[in-house]
């Protein structure tokens, strides 16, 4: 599967952005999908994940209540709605696909397919 992110940009603290991830391939609905981010000088970290059906979502603690992950399997799309953005949310955001539908991993190594990333910059 190929993944392409969009929707990043520059926003002031407290603002919102919606990231989108377009997936190719007819088997999109069997993948667990995740969003990760990598800030300057930092390791890539888990942000949010969603099960193949969309029934289950899980988040990194610092984004709970601010970010919402969703998917539309009919359109092969995954979204990350980000509200109340903070300067520490500044990073390149990546979507990723895990072919193991039973796993709810937060580790980057569990995800087999990655997009190229989209930059999110939050100014104070």
């Amino acid at each position: 599967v190929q993944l392409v992110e969009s929707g990043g940009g520059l926003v002031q603290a407290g603002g919102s952005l919606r990231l989108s991830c377009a997936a190719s391939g007819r088997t999109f609905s069997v993948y667990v999908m995740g969003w990760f981010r990598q800030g300057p000088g930092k390791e890539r970290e888990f942000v949010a994940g969603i099960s193949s059906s969309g029934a289950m979502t899980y988040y990194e603690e610092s984004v709970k209540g601010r970010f919402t992950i969703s998917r539309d399997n009919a359109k092969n799309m995954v979204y990350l709605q980000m509200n109340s953005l903070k300067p520490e949310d500044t990073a390149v955001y990546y979507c990723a696909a895990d072919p193991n539908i039973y796993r709810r991993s937060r580790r980057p190594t569990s995800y087999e397919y990655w997009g190229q990333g989209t930059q999110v910059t939050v100014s104070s």
Side-chain angles (χ1 to χ4, degrees):
V1 62
Q2 291 185 322
L3 305 172
V4 179
E5 303 95 336
S6 62
L10 174 64
V11 64
Q12 289 188 331
S16 298
L17 281 175
R18 187 195 196 203
L19 304 184
S20 299
C21 174
S24 64
R26 290 183 290 180
T27 59
F28 170 75
S29 62
V30 305
Y31 290 98
V32 172
M33 298 299 297
W35 284 96
F36 291 77
R37 65 187 179 186
Q38 188 165 14
K42 297 181 179 180
E43 293 186 354
R44 192 168 298 189
E45 65 173 359
F46 172 81
V47 175
I50 187 165
S51 62
S52 57
S53 68
M56 183 180 296
T57 59
Y58 43 107
Y59 299 90
E60 192 269 330
E61 194 64 33
S62 70
V63 308
K64 280 184 180 178
R66 300 190 298 124
F67 291 11
T68 303
I69 188 172
S70 61
R71 67 190 296 163
D72 185 337
N73 285 344
K75 296 182 179 179
N76 282 13
M77 296 291 294
V78 180
Y79 306 99
L80 185 68
Q81 177 67 44
M82 305 186 295
N83 299 327
S84 302
L85 282 161
K86 304 176 181 180
E88 50 264 43
D89 294 318
T90 295
V92 177
Y93 283 71
Y94 300 88
C95 72
D98 180 356
N100 187 331
I101 63 170
Y102 301 108
R103 188 160 54 194
R104 303 290 180 263
S105 178
R106 297 166 184 253
R107 297 179 297 181
T109 53
S110 298
Y111 290 75
E112 187 169 337
Y113 303 100
W114 291 83
Q116 83 290 347
T118 185
Q119 176 71 47
V120 171
T121 302
V122 184
S123 64
S124 57

